[in-house]
Amino acid sequence: QVQLVESGGGLVQPGGSLRLSCTASGSTFSMYTIDWYRQAPGKQRDLVATITRGGSTNYVDSVKGRFTISRDNARNTAYLQLNSLKPEDTAVYYCNARFLAMTYWGPGTQVTVSS
């Protein structure tokens, strides 16, 4: 069993930056692939970025060059650095940890980009 907690969201102006954190309980964090998703009001939850347990990363086209996913297995934490934020990035951001048939979600953190 893994429990995830996201943090770091908030209100930021267009062009600004935030760093989201996803901290996991347990000692097996390093074996999980970590995904960041986001869900805007009235829309489906969409995958934003992925980091495998080996450190390989992948991004949806709309955030390439602006967002960076990383992980620190010693701290049981994954990060999502959000730069050059746009109003359309406004959403609740969720992290997901998955390994084989197991998948766990955090409660999410709100990111609002507005002037």
Side-chain angles (χ1 to χ4, degrees):
Q1 186 78 9
V2 174
Q3 291 185 320
L4 304 174
V5 177
E6 301 95 338
S7 61
L11 173 64
V12 63
Q13 293 186 339
S17 298
L18 286 172
R19 188 176 80 157
L20 308 183
S21 298
C22 171
T23 301
S25 64
S27 60
T28 57
F29 179 77
S30 61
M31 65 191 284
Y32 289 87
T33 290
I34 304 297
D35 303 305
W36 281 95
Y37 284 76
R38 65 184 179 187
Q39 187 168 21
K43 296 190 176 181
Q44 66 181 22
R45 190 174 298 188
D46 291 325
L47 179 64
V48 174
T50 297
I51 186 164
T52 68
R53 55 182 180 171
S56 297
T57 60
N58 196 37
Y59 301 90
V60 65
D61 285 346
S62 60
V63 307
K64 283 181 180 177
R66 299 190 299 123
F67 292 6
T68 303
I69 190 171
S70 61
R71 65 191 300 161
D72 183 344
N73 291 333
R75 296 179 182 272
N76 280 9
T77 301
Y79 303 97
L80 188 66
Q81 179 69 40
L82 287 61
N83 295 331
S84 303
L85 282 161
K86 305 175 182 180
E88 51 264 42
D89 295 317
T90 295
V92 178
Y93 284 71
Y94 300 89
C95 67
N96 173 274
R98 54 186 170 90
F99 177 70
L100 300 178
M102 299 179 289
T103 185
Y104 304 97
W105 290 93
T109 186
Q110 176 71 48
V111 172
T112 303
V113 185
S114 175
S115 55

